[in-house]
Amino acid sequence: MNGTVQRMYFFDNLRVFIILLMVVFHVGMAYTTWDLVWWVNDMQKNKLFDLFVWATDVYIMPIMFLIAGYFTPVLLLNKGIKLFWQDKLRRIVLPWLAGVLFIAPLIGYSALVSNTDTQPNYLSFWANDFFGEYYQQAHYWFLELLAIFFLLFTIAYVLRPSYFREQPQSRIPSVWFFLLFALFSAVPFFIGNLFFWSDAWIHVKRLIMIQPVRVGLYLCYFALGVYAWKNAWFTRDGYRPCPFTWSIAAVIMLFVFLYYRVTFTLMPDVPVLFKAGHALVFSFFSLTAAFSFIALFQRFADSDAYLWRRLAANSYTIYFIHQCVVIPLAFAVQKIQFNIWIKYLGVSVAAVTLCFLISEYIISPVLSLTKKDGKPL
């Protein structure tokens, strides 16, 4: 069977939107009331940025993993396992290694310099401090986790190739399916939260960097994307989520989640019952937000207009470089006293614009020089 599906421009455009939202999300982190030792802290603060970061942080990555899961079977079926992994090693694994070894230290060093009066030697920081208490993978952790999910899918494909080679059949999910999925994806969140703070990061010998409370939920969304492909969701004759219904549910869950987060999860010692509640509201908000965005983009942004195409062509590079742009801009205005909303909007517009221009007119032309007739030299 050929895994080809009709071009879904709304998925391309939704991915672009989420990546650009990620850019302005990281800009907004500078204006939260938290003192983030690993990020630029602006001199001006506003609690509304706390709410913005809390809410946006819930659904941006589940949407990214769901989209990735939806198209993974198509790519593997069309390319075969060998070519599929050659492509993933080149586009995912090697960029992850380069990002972790050479760009994440620069990001960590820039954030450190912005929060201290002393400026340690960079080479000393890279060799000692970065691989010690300051170790992080910046935003490149997503590439690593995505590669792990690709590996798990490949194993599933090898074990049951006939299941994935069968032609996808259109099946309309019931309300009960989504309720059960939300409950099921809340379970690993709750279990992880019994041992770790809900926003905690850990690394396993500096190789794997994850949020232990959320990694199971992310796997659920990747699997949901595969399931959606298998059941021909979002196709012309398949399940098409209703924008109105899902958007109303998402707005309701937005307020429920923010109220719960502010009221219960900031307690010194969160009781187990409240952790269960946090897992449920997080899971239901994540699901309703993800499908409301899918529904809205399928209905109103299923377009191959020129700007969408150029943004889509540059989306991966924008994701890859955006913190290298955001942090210097945030640092440049860190101590400027100005209207906080104008400052935030200005930095956001500048960051998005610069990321696109750098990708479109510098990085893309350079990468094109390494190719001849569409193939690497």
Side-chain angles (χ1 to χ4, degrees), residues 203-215:
H203 64 80
V204 180
K205 297 188 180 298
R206 302 181 182 83
L207 180 63
I208 299 176
M209 191 88 184
I210 59 170
Q211 286 180 289
V213 176
R214 303 189 192 191
V215 64

Side-chain angles (χ1 to χ4, degrees), residues 19 91-92 95-96 143 311-321:
I19 289 174
R91 289 182 51 82
I92 303 295
W96 165 69
L143 301 179
L311 286 169
N314 289 280
S315 61
Y316 181 60
T317 305
I318 291 172
Y319 169 81
F320 197 85
I321 68 171

Side-chain angles (χ1 to χ4, degrees), residues 7 29 37-38 69 107 123 143 171 184 195 273 322 358:
R7 188 72 183 183
M29 287 172 56
V37 297
W38 43 269
I107 293 171
L123 291 178
L143 301 179
R171 295 184 179 87
F184 182 80
F195 304 96
L273 185 61
H322 79 272
I358 292 170

Side-chain angles (χ1 to χ4, degrees), residues 69-89:
Y70 191 89
F71 290 102
T72 296
V74 178
L75 294 173
L76 193 146
L77 286 168
N78 286 340
K79 294 187 175 185
I81 293 177
K82 181 178 178 179
L83 290 178
F84 174 83
W85 273 102
Q86 285 179 351
D87 180 66
K88 296 310 173 189
L89 288 172

Side-chain angles (χ1 to χ4, degrees), residues 65-340:
F65 282 114
L66 190 154
I67 295 174
Y70 191 89
F71 290 102
T72 296
V74 178
L75 294 173
L76 193 146
L77 286 168
N78 286 340
K79 294 187 175 185
I81 293 177
K82 181 178 178 179
L83 290 178
F84 174 83
W85 273 102
Q86 285 179 351
D87 180 66
K88 296 310 173 189
L89 288 172
R90 179 177 61 86
R91 289 182 51 82
I92 303 295
V93 177
L94 292 179
W96 165 69
L97 284 172
V100 170
L101 292 176
F102 302 111
I103 301 179
L106 283 171
I107 293 171
Y109 180 75
S110 300
L112 177 64
V113 169
S114 72
N115 290 307
T116 181
D117 294 329
T118 61
Q119 296 187 6
N121 177 272
Y122 174 71
L123 291 178
S124 174
F125 170 81
W126 185 86
N128 301 303
D129 299 322
F130 176 72
F131 292 100
E133 61 178 314
Y134 289 98
Y135 181 76
Q136 53 147 314
Q137 292 191 9
H139 53 295
Y140 303 114
W141 65 270
F142 170 69
L143 301 179
E144 178 190 35
L145 195 56
L146 194 58
I148 293 173
F149 290 171
F150 287 148
L151 178 60
L152 292 175
F153 177 80
T154 303
I155 294 172
Y157 175 79
V158 170
L159 292 176
R160 290 197 60 188
S162 59
Y163 174 81
F164 296 103
R165 289 173 181 168
E166 293 173 357
Q167 184 70 32
Q169 299 296 318
S170 176
R171 295 184 179 87
I172 307 302
S174 67
V175 173
W176 289 108
F177 172 86
F178 290 111
L179 289 174
L180 288 174
F181 175 82
L183 291 172
F184 182 80
S185 61
V187 171
F189 187 102
F190 170 67
I191 293 174
N193 201 193
L194 292 176
F195 304 96
F196 299 94
W197 176 49
S198 60
D199 298 324
W201 288 89
I202 65 169
H203 64 80
V204 180
K205 297 188 180 298
R206 302 181 182 83
L207 180 63
I208 299 176
M209 191 88 184
I210 59 170
Q211 286 180 289
V213 176
R214 303 189 192 191
V215 64
L217 181 137
Y218 293 156
L219 178 59
C220 288
Y221 274 87
F222 183 87
L224 180 62
V226 175
Y227 181 85
W229 166 82
K230 182 62 180 174
N231 289 278
W233 292 5
F234 318 124
T235 61
R236 182 173 300 174
D237 300 320
Y239 171 62
R240 299 169 68 91
C242 173
F244 179 79
T245 303
W246 281 104
S247 296
I248 291 297
V251 171
I252 292 172
M253 287 309 306
L254 166 65
F255 286 104
V256 170
F257 170 78
L258 289 177
Y259 175 80
Y260 199 97
R261 178 83 201 231
V262 172
T263 306
F264 299 110
T265 67
L266 298 182
M267 301 168 62
D269 294 305
V270 182
V272 172
L273 185 61
F274 289 170
K275 289 183 178 181
H278 186 200
L280 287 173
V281 297
F282 191 104
S283 180
F284 275 93
F285 177 39
S286 175
L287 180 65
T288 54
F291 275 81
S292 67
F293 276 115
I294 292 172
L296 290 168
F297 271 75
Q298 186 171 36
R299 179 71 176 274
F300 302 109
D302 192 16
S303 168
D304 63 344
Y306 177 78
L307 182 58
W308 279 122
R309 292 298 87 220
R310 295 320 307 152
L311 286 169
N314 289 280
S315 61
Y316 181 60
T317 305
I318 291 172
Y319 169 81
F320 197 85
I321 68 171
H322 79 272
Q323 287 198 26
C324 301
V325 175
V326 169
I327 287 182
L329 288 175
F331 182 56
V333 302
Q334 181 185 29
K335 297 180 181 179
I336 297 177
Q337 292 292 328
F338 200 68
N339 182 282
I340 190 172

